[in-house]
Amino acid sequence: MKIYELTTLEIKVFSNAKVYAALQEHLPAAGGTLLGAFASDIGDLSRVMLLREFAEPNAAAQAKHALLLQADPLGCGEQLVSLKSESHALFPFLDAPRPATLGKWYELRTYGLRHGKLGETIDAWQDALPARHALSPCVGVFSALDGEQPRFLNIWAYGSVDERAKIRADAVAQGLWPPKGGPANLTRMHSDLCVALPFSPLK
């Protein structure tokens, strides 16, 4: 099973340029395949999110352990405030994300789930996602494999903030979204609106 790891770096204010340069240099040797590198722009600021794909769980665990052992994690230890890595599995009906130019803006949304509702949620998204994906690209939907709270991550691409607002409103108005029965299973929602970094394979 492939593992998709979302690593979130909270960095010192105004250290962005140094961190981006360090990441571009050090990520190729950090393990996995980099799919996306995003900087938060709306939401919690001074954060960088890295989406990597690993061929199997052991590879992801080894990379996470190696990162913990580094004296200078990803070359930007001096700029780090905190670092968090979360492992995910792609919803089974979806194709693996691949590098592409989809839009300047990427929204990373995390939804908490009621216990026992992941299977029901996957089915609901499988039914509803094709019509929603036609309005704006869905990079992927991923169920979390660690942490206390069942949750899933969904990543969307948009050309602009205004486009995002219009597409989301249109999807609701047309009855295409949200997935039927989906909201009843959610316990919390968090969203980060990010820009893709220049070296991100997803742009």
Side-chain angles (χ1 to χ4, degrees):
M1 179 180 71
K2 290 183 177 179
I3 298 294
Y4 294 87
E5 185 174 277
L6 183 68
T7 300
T8 302
L9 295 81
E10 183 183 359
I11 60 176
K12 292 179 180 177
V13 175
F14 297 127
S15 67
N16 302 61
K18 289 181 179 178
V19 170
Y20 302 162
L23 291 175
Q24 187 169 7
E25 178 183 351
H26 288 83
L27 276 170
T33 300
L34 180 67
L35 296 175
F38 312 107
S40 61
D41 195 80
I42 298 176
D44 294 329
L45 301 180
S46 297
R47 299 202 303 166
V48 179
M49 276 75 94
L50 307 171
L51 180 68
R52 289 185 291 169
E53 179 188 271
F54 292 87
E56 45 86 25
N58 281 341
Q62 289 168 6
K64 184 179 291 188
H65 188 224
L67 185 60
L68 290 172
L69 289 172
Q70 289 180 15
D72 184 20
L74 297 174
C76 51
E78 287 295 319
Q79 288 78 40
L80 275 181
V81 175
S82 67
L83 187 152
K84 176 178 68 173
S85 294
E86 300 169 284
S87 298
H88 299 78
L90 186 68
F91 274 21
F93 63 88
L94 291 172
D95 293 331
R98 287 293 172 258
T101 300
L102 301 177
K104 174 185 176 181
W105 291 90
Y106 284 79
E107 184 174 18
L108 285 70
R109 300 177 69 89
T110 300
Y111 294 155
L113 269 177
R114 293 167 55 203
H115 286 275
K117 296 299 182 180
L118 178 59
E120 201 175 291
T121 298
I122 290 172
D123 291 342
W125 278 65
Q126 184 170 12
D127 290 340
L129 192 56
R132 177 63 181 83
H133 178 78
L135 298 181
S136 64
C138 179
V139 172
V141 191
F142 313 85
S143 55
L145 299 175
D146 44 25
E148 297 178 3
Q149 172 69 39
R151 63 196 186 282
F152 66 101
L153 167 71
N154 46 113
I155 303 177
W156 303 85
Y158 299 97
S160 70
V161 176
D162 287 344
E163 178 188 84
R164 170 187 174 273
K166 182 179 185 307
I167 287 173
R168 287 176 55 80
D170 288 348
V172 173
Q174 295 175 45
L176 303 177
W177 205 252
K180 288 182 172 55
N185 292 331
L186 304 182
T187 59
R188 63 182 63 179
M189 298 185 289
H190 178 84
S191 178
D192 291 292
L193 202 56
C194 304
V195 292
L197 296 178
F199 61 88
S200 174
L202 284 165
K203 302 182 184 302

